[in-house]
Amino acid sequence: MAQVTNYQCPSCTGPLHFSSKTKKLECDYCGSSFDVSEIDALYNKKVDAAQEESGKKQKENQEKWDATGLRTYNCSSCGAEIFCDINTVATSCPYCSNPSVIPGQFTGGRRPDLVIPFSVDKNQTIKALSEHYNKKPLLPKVFKTENHIEEVKGIYVPFWLFGGKAKASVDLDCTTTSSARSGNTETITTKHFKVSRKGNILFEQIPVDASTKMDNALMDSIEPFDYAKLEKFSTSYLPGFYAEAYDDSEEECKPRAETRINNSSISALLNTVSGYDSQSVTSREVNVDYKDTSYALFPVWLLNTKWKDQNFLFGINGQTGKLAGDLPVSWGKFWAYFLSIFAGSTVVLSAILYFVMGLVQ
């Protein structure tokens, strides 16, 4: 059975967690705090040893793990067994609550190059969610309960960052229209033009989330992340949060990156076309040459709620605090709210629907 690494306070051996406020590892027991570099120096050898040992155990147990989809680890603090799936990198022990990092998950080229540490802490996230929910009077009660909101989890989500060059071209049919009047006669003249644009566009760090568990549209919605805050990856940023290794490969994620690159490249060329009354694209072509690809972990707060057999996932950018997600409507609340406001009035269906959408969006 493979081992996990618990990050413990050098002063009192209490569990350490990374603080999004101080950007240090802090101990809740004695109040000590340590720079990431200090803990790296202390734990790098332990992490390397645990990673090597876990790599060996993975090979020995691969057939069994492939069959169950789960892996078993020993908590190095209390010795309990921890069960998690094949992509879990950081979790917490369900028995002693110590944050646990599983270094063996970084074998086989799965170690990230970069990380953006959490800047928004759990209390800030809970406050932001509460304020957001309070503005939605038609939300079911389960979404607004304090106990539910406190279930929000901080997760480092894997991303591929693509860089390279795009060679793009676009052809358009454009027109200009003018009119002239002579007596009672108006003459309208339309001129047609063939317009072409070509160019090479450099791009870097185009993000694509690399986890099949994450909703792609949700991850796109909470962008952008500030790349100025990218740090060289260290496992010392993980204690206190969950983390996943990628299960969508670089090649599998390229089509999504390519869609973004294609759209951005064509948009950049179209922005150079002006002075026409109308324009219509007749052909476009983009050839992408990838040069640099990085593997990074980005901070995301996630809240998953099930209501009437439907799952609703809400995401919060763990660096900027940007929120995104789908929310349901409690029709009981809607009719009570509607009747209290519009009693005695006749409202057409379209107006009702417009009112509903305004309250839930």
Side-chain angles (χ1 to χ4, degrees):
M1 193 176 298
Q3 295 288 328
V4 300
T5 298
N6 293 123
Y7 283 71
Q8 296 176 321
C9 174
S11 300
C12 72
T13 71
L16 292 174
H17 70 274
F18 181 79
S19 169
S20 57
K21 284 187 176 180
T22 64
K23 301 294 185 287
K24 294 184 177 183
L25 287 120
E26 297 187 345
C27 175
D28 291 331
Y29 288 82
C30 70
S32 298
S33 62
F34 306 89
D35 290 332
V36 168
S37 58
E38 292 181 79
I39 299 302
D40 277 348
L42 182 65
Y43 273 87
N44 274 350
K45 289 184 179 179
K46 293 182 180 180
V47 169
D48 290 343
Q51 183 166 323
E52 183 179 350
E53 176 64 20
S54 293
K56 293 177 181 177
K57 294 294 183 181
Q58 284 184 19
K59 290 180 181 179
E60 294 173 7
N61 296 296
Q62 192 65 51
E63 184 175 340
K64 179 176 68 176
W65 285 340
D66 287 346
T68 64
L70 295 175
R71 292 182 178 179
T72 309
Y73 301 92
N74 280 125
C75 173
S76 59
S77 179
C78 70
E81 289 186 353
I82 300 174
F83 293 90
C84 55
D85 71 22
I86 60 174
N87 296 305
T88 301
V89 172
T91 184
S92 61
C93 176
Y95 298 96
C96 68
S97 297
N98 271 336
S100 302
V101 177
I102 307 170
Q105 303 291 60
F106 294 131
T107 58
R110 286 158 62 93
R111 183 180 178 86
D113 305 300
L114 303 164
V115 61
I116 294 180
F118 275 85
S119 296
V120 178
D121 65 22
K122 186 172 183 176
N123 290 333
Q124 292 172 303
T125 302
I126 291 173
K127 182 180 178 181
L129 277 170
S130 298
E131 292 175 351
H132 183 75
Y133 285 178
N134 286 336
K135 296 175 184 176
K136 311 296 178 185
L138 302 185
L139 268 183
K141 185 178 179 181
V142 65
F143 281 79
K144 294 187 175 184
T145 59
E146 185 174 338
N147 288 342
H148 165 66
I149 293 178
E150 288 183 353
E151 293 174 4
V152 65
K153 295 180 179 179
I155 300 175
Y156 279 107
V157 178
F159 275 77
W160 291 110
L161 305 179
F162 294 98
K165 182 173 70 173
K167 185 177 181 180
S169 64
V170 60
D171 296 321
L172 307 95
D173 281 337
C174 300
T175 65
T176 60
T177 302
S178 61
S179 62
R181 181 175 290 277
S182 177
N184 293 327
T185 302
E186 182 181 19
T187 302
I188 298 176
T189 303
T190 300
K191 296 181 179 180
H192 295 264
F193 302 87
K194 294 290 186 181
V195 179
S196 296
R197 292 288 188 270
K198 295 181 180 180
N200 295 325
I201 300 172
L202 297 177
F203 60 91
E204 59 181 17
Q205 296 180 325
I206 303 297
V208 177
D209 77 88
S211 171
T212 57
K213 297 177 185 176
M214 298 300 163
D215 182 88
N216 293 337
L218 180 64
M219 291 299 101
D220 291 345
S221 297
I222 63 173
E223 290 181 21
F225 289 88
D226 181 5
Y227 290 164
K229 305 297 184 182
L230 278 168
E231 301 284 351
K232 183 179 178 182
F233 176 75
S234 166
T235 53
S236 296
Y237 291 108
L238 304 184
F241 300 99
Y242 293 87
E244 296 285 330
Y246 71 82
D247 57 357
D248 259 350
S249 69
E250 178 182 339
E251 289 301 317
E252 290 171 322
C253 288
K254 275 184 178 179
R256 286 183 57 213
E258 206 150 309
T259 297
R260 300 181 74 162
I261 295 165
N262 289 353
N263 292 339
S264 296
S265 300
I266 296 299
S267 178
L269 293 181
L270 292 178
N271 286 338
T272 68
V273 179
S274 61
Y276 301 98
D277 296 322
S278 72
Q279 58 185 54
S280 174
V281 175
T282 58
S283 68
R284 64 176 70 193
E285 184 178 3
V286 181
N287 294 309
V288 180
D289 182 18
Y290 294 98
K291 296 293 185 183
D292 304 303
T293 304
S294 301
Y295 170 31
L297 297 183
F298 286 176
V300 178
W301 290 99
L302 288 177
L303 185 63
N304 198 326
T305 303
K306 191 166 186 175
W307 190 69
K308 291 192 174 180
D309 297 324
Q310 281 187 285
N311 289 317
F312 293 89
L313 185 64
F314 215 82
I316 302 94
N317 186 312
Q319 181 190 37
T320 67
K322 184 178 179 182
L323 296 87
D326 294 325
L327 297 173
V329 175
S330 170
W331 287 102
K333 283 189 175 185
F334 163 71
W335 287 116
Y337 193 84
F338 173 77
L339 293 173
S340 68
I341 296 177
F342 293 100
S345 300
T346 301
V347 182
V348 297
L349 180 59
S350 60
I352 294 175
L353 294 175
Y354 180 81
F355 174 72
V356 174
M357 294 305 294
L359 288 174
V360 300
Q361 287 181 346

